[in-house]
């Protein structure tokens, strides 16, 4: 089983996090991944392991993975800002189709067919500064995707290089 926890109060220092079997994120390698990102001053999530009990049933060791939000930026000593991702809806539709034996062209599910959206959309939409930040960042990402802006005009190239080096080191390609 996997669980998504949302709380008004901090639990283990987090407001939103997932509880999942450690194998979901490649066992201890995900913890190492986040520790390496932290060591390289690249934004990382809290990630740890707990012994989970549910209604007096011992579920064993579970991984605890923080979700993105403004608190992640604060803890990583970054300024307030919208955190963006490529909307994954088409990717998950492609994966479900594949699971059901329908092998369609994967290209339609890639980032080239998606759009940039903010994590914590509800928080972003209530804050004019975050809305403006999201719009600016989404526009820059779109310009990058179309080849109108160079990587160095949109991203911190040094941090991006460190991020990719860590991904290659631990096989953490799911974060791409």
């Amino acid at each position: 089983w996997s669980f998504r926890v949302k709380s008004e109060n901090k639990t283990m220092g987090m407001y939103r996090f997932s509880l999942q079997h450690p194998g979901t994120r490649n066992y201890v390698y995900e913890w190492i991944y986040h520790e390496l990102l932290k060591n390289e001053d690249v934004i990382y999530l809290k990630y740890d392991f707990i012994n989970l009990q549910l209604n007096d049933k011992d579920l064993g060791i579970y991984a605890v993975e923080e979700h993105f939000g403004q608190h992640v930026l604060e803890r990583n000593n970054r300024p307030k800002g919208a955190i963006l991702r490529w909307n994954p809806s088409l990717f998950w539709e492609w994966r479900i189709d594949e699971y059901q034996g329908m092998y369609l062209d994967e290209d339609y599910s890639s980032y080239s067919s998606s759009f940039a959206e903010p994590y914590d959309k509800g928080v972003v939409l209530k804050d004019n500064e975050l809305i403006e930040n999201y719009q600016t960042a989404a526009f820059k990402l779109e310009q990058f995707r179309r080849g109108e802006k160079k990587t160095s005009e949109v991203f911190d190239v040094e941090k991006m290089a460190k991020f990719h080096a860590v991904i290659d080191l631990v096989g953490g390609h799911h974060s791409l």
Side-chain angles (χ1 to χ4, degrees):
W1 291 18
S2 293
F3 305 93
R4 180 163 288 181
V5 179
K6 296 179 183 179
S7 176
E8 295 289 322
N9 303 310
K10 284 186 178 180
T11 303
M12 296 179 286
M14 299 172 281
Y15 293 100
R16 294 184 312 148
F17 55 92
S18 292
L19 298 166
Q20 52 202 354
H21 185 275
T24 304
R25 292 279 195 250
N26 204 15
Y27 297 95
V28 75
Y29 291 104
E30 186 73 7
W31 179 83
I32 293 168
Y33 165 71
H34 288 289
E35 290 298 308
L36 289 169
L37 291 176
K38 179 180 178 181
N39 187 60
E40 294 299 326
D41 194 31
V42 176
I43 291 177
Y44 70 98
L45 300 175
K46 280 187 171 189
Y47 192 90
D48 209 347
F49 301 96
I50 62 168
N51 190 337
L52 185 62
Q53 303 256 336
L54 178 66
N55 299 329
D56 297 326
K57 182 178 180 183
D58 185 359
L59 298 181
I61 302 297
Y62 263 62
V64 180
E65 182 178 42
E66 181 177 35
H67 283 261
F68 287 103
Q70 290 302 303
H71 57 284
V72 172
L73 296 177
E74 291 170 19
R75 188 174 33 72
N76 280 271
N77 298 313
R78 299 301 198 282
K80 177 181 174 180
I83 303 171
L84 277 64
R85 69 175 184 174
W86 296 111
N87 177 287
S89 298
L90 291 174
F91 170 77
W92 289 115
E93 285 185 36
W94 171 75
R95 289 294 304 265
I96 290 168
D97 287 347
E98 182 181 54
Y99 180 73
Q100 295 172 345
M102 297 183 340
Y103 299 98
L104 304 174
D105 188 355
E106 182 182 358
D107 288 344
Y108 93 91
S109 66
S110 71
Y111 96 104
S112 62
S113 301
S114 189
F115 60 92
E117 68 177 3
Y119 279 99
D120 249 359
K121 188 185 271 185
V123 171
V124 171
L125 295 177
K126 292 178 186 172
D127 184 315
N128 288 335
E129 181 183 353
L130 289 176
I131 290 171
E132 185 176 326
N133 181 261
Y134 159 67
Q135 290 171 335
T136 300
F139 184 66
K140 284 183 179 181
L141 281 174
E142 186 59 33
Q143 289 178 306
F144 170 75
R145 180 166 57 180
R146 292 179 182 183
E148 298 166 3
K149 281 197 179 283
K150 296 185 293 186
T151 305
S152 60
E153 294 176 301
V154 178
F155 301 100
D156 180 322
V157 176
E158 185 176 323
K159 290 208 188 295
M160 182 68 79
K162 290 178 180 182
F163 175 68
H164 280 271
V166 169
I167 286 172
D168 284 345
L169 187 63
V170 299
H173 298 96
H174 70 273
S175 62
L176 289 173

